[in-house]
Amino acid sequence: MEPRTVQFSRTKLTELMIPSFANFGGKVHGGLILSLMDKVAYAVGSKHAGTYCVTVTVDGVEFLQPVEVGELLTLDAAVHYVGNSSLVVGIKVTSENIKTNEVKHTNNSYFTMVAKGEDGKPTQVPELILEDIKEMRRFVDAIKRIKVKKEANAKMQKEQDEFIMVDDMELLSGQRCKVEFKVDDEFNDLFSDT
């Protein structure tokens, strides 16, 4: 399996935002943008892998600015990282007002894709050739994001496994919620002043 460059599978998708894409607030619906991002991530991942890819996770979707009807939305996507059967596709989304030519950065995101073989099982992807410092930085950043995410997931799982109603009840203090379920007398005794 021959290694492939970032440029080999880099893909740009540009689409005019039409009125049927608008949400109730008159802006382009975020779900449509996510769908386009998934589409371009699939194209990049499958081209690099040379086989069908599926989306496993989506990280870092934060809509920085609204996209207006009538603007050209451009999704610039490239492989940032490859593992054994997985790869991370970085996507930069911009929108352009075609009357004023003003371009605004609307969001970035990272899609983790897994390559599937003919048998439907994960299959190895080609190595990634890093041709400049920017590509190397993106690869290293992806490694760091993966590490931080694994650590955060492990910590959150530990927190969930160690849920103790009495101790964790104080976390609700000052929050915008109201506990309205009945609890047994033993629980009530823990919170009484006597």
Side-chain angles (χ1 to χ4, degrees):
M1 185 177 299
E2 288 293 314
R4 293 183 169 158
T5 65
V6 171
Q7 292 306 315
F8 175 80
S9 59
R10 184 177 207 121
T11 302
K12 276 192 177 184
L13 173 68
T14 301
E15 189 161 338
L16 177 65
M17 298 293 99
I18 59 176
S20 64
F21 295 166
N23 61 23
F24 292 110
K27 309 297 183 192
V28 173
H29 197 289
L32 173 87
I33 297 169
L34 284 170
S35 175
L36 292 171
M37 292 167 71
D38 193 45
K39 185 187 295 186
V40 76
Y42 170 80
V44 170
S46 294
K47 187 168 183 184
H48 179 85
T51 188
Y52 176 70
C53 285
V54 294
T55 304
V56 177
T57 63
V58 179
D59 296 319
V61 177
E62 182 179 345
F63 295 99
L64 306 172
Q65 298 186 63
V67 177
E68 306 289 338
V69 170
E71 292 181 335
L72 285 176
L73 191 74
T74 300
L75 300 93
D76 186 3
V79 176
H80 284 200
Y81 168 85
V82 296
N84 187 37
S85 61
S86 66
L87 46 91
V88 174
V89 176
I91 305 169
K92 180 178 182 180
V93 183
T94 58
S95 65
E96 178 183 3
N97 180 311
I98 57 178
K99 292 179 184 175
T100 66
N101 301 113
E102 177 191 356
V103 176
K104 60 186 177 186
H105 178 203
T106 63
N107 65 302
N108 290 332
S109 190
Y110 305 97
F111 278 60
T112 301
M113 314 295 288
V114 169
K116 298 286 189 166
E118 294 295 322
D119 58 0
K121 294 182 179 171
T123 188
Q124 192 172 46
V125 298
E127 290 181 346
L128 188 63
I129 299 170
L130 306 174
E131 298 182 299
D132 62 33
I133 201 83
K134 185 186 273 186
E135 291 174 359
M136 187 179 94
R137 182 186 55 78
R138 287 177 176 162
F139 198 96
V140 169
D141 286 350
I143 293 169
K144 290 176 182 177
R145 264 193 317 278
I146 291 165
K147 181 180 180 224
V148 167
K149 187 175 178 181
K150 281 182 182 177
E151 290 169 354
N153 286 343
K155 184 177 180 186
M156 190 64 214
Q157 186 61 55
K158 185 175 186 259
E159 290 286 331
Q160 290 171 342
D161 292 345
E162 294 176 354
F163 172 75
I164 301 170
M165 187 185 284
V166 174
D167 294 345
D168 290 335
M169 194 72 160
E170 68 186 51
L171 294 173
L172 299 178
S173 178
Q175 300 297 318
R176 295 188 47 81
C177 68
K178 201 163 140 182
V179 178
E180 290 192 345
F181 59 89
K182 295 197 187 267
V183 292
D184 60 25
D185 290 334
E186 183 179 321
F187 181 79
N188 282 330
D189 289 343
L190 292 172
F191 289 99
S192 67
D193 291 347
T194 57

